[in-house]
Amino acid sequence: MTGIGEDPFVTAVKPLVDAMGGEMLPPEQAGADDVVLSWEGADVIAVRLPQLADSLDHILAALERKRGKPLADLDRKAKQEVVRILEARGAFSVRHGVETVASALGVSRFTVYNYLNRENAAKGD
């Protein structure tokens, strides 16, 4: 992406694209499913969004980096907080989301469902 990296608009959106696990490309390389971002009437960058399953893996990796250790090494309360964050981000609408999260947390699917049920009961759902 020669030359694109210096654009202030690209610099501004890069943290968001990175957080989503997306990829930035020159606009002329955009495919049909890519999102082309324009600024002041000119196409500046194309963003290739990840598949949903890849997004979940990306979110789990980001949560792990933020906490500075594998999610499986967290205590129960911290794992419950991770499940709350993931639920808010739609992780459990992804096919095999519960299994993926359970594996990352080092717990059973049943435990993840218990964390979800506990959170929903606390909300009064």
Side-chain angles (χ1 to χ4, degrees), residues 36-91:
V36 177
L37 302 177
S38 301
W39 184 253
E40 296 181 347
D43 292 344
V44 179
I45 192 86
V47 177
R48 181 160 295 152
L49 300 173
Q51 298 298 312
L52 283 176
D54 295 337
S55 291
L56 179 53
D57 290 338
H58 188 79
I59 291 167
L60 288 167
L63 288 169
E64 210 164 75
R65 280 191 307 276
K66 185 175 181 181
R67 285 167 172 70
K69 60 181 168 181
L71 297 177
D73 293 347
L74 298 174
D75 63 25
R76 183 175 51 86
K77 185 175 180 179
K79 287 179 182 181
Q80 289 171 336
E81 176 64 23
V82 166
V83 168
R84 280 192 294 274
I85 291 166
L86 292 169
E87 182 181 28
R89 295 187 72 179

Side-chain angles (χ1 to χ4, degrees), residues 6-55:
E6 296 87 33
D7 187 286
F9 181 76
V10 173
T11 301
V13 300
K14 185 176 184 331
L16 177 61
V17 174
D18 289 346
M20 294 182 321
E23 176 186 356
M24 296 194 306
L25 319 159
E28 61 274 7
Q29 293 180 15
D33 292 333
D34 297 332
V35 178
V36 177
L37 302 177
S38 301
W39 184 253
E40 296 181 347
D43 292 344
V44 179
I45 192 86
V47 177
R48 181 160 295 152
L49 300 173
Q51 298 298 312
L52 283 176
D54 295 337
S55 291

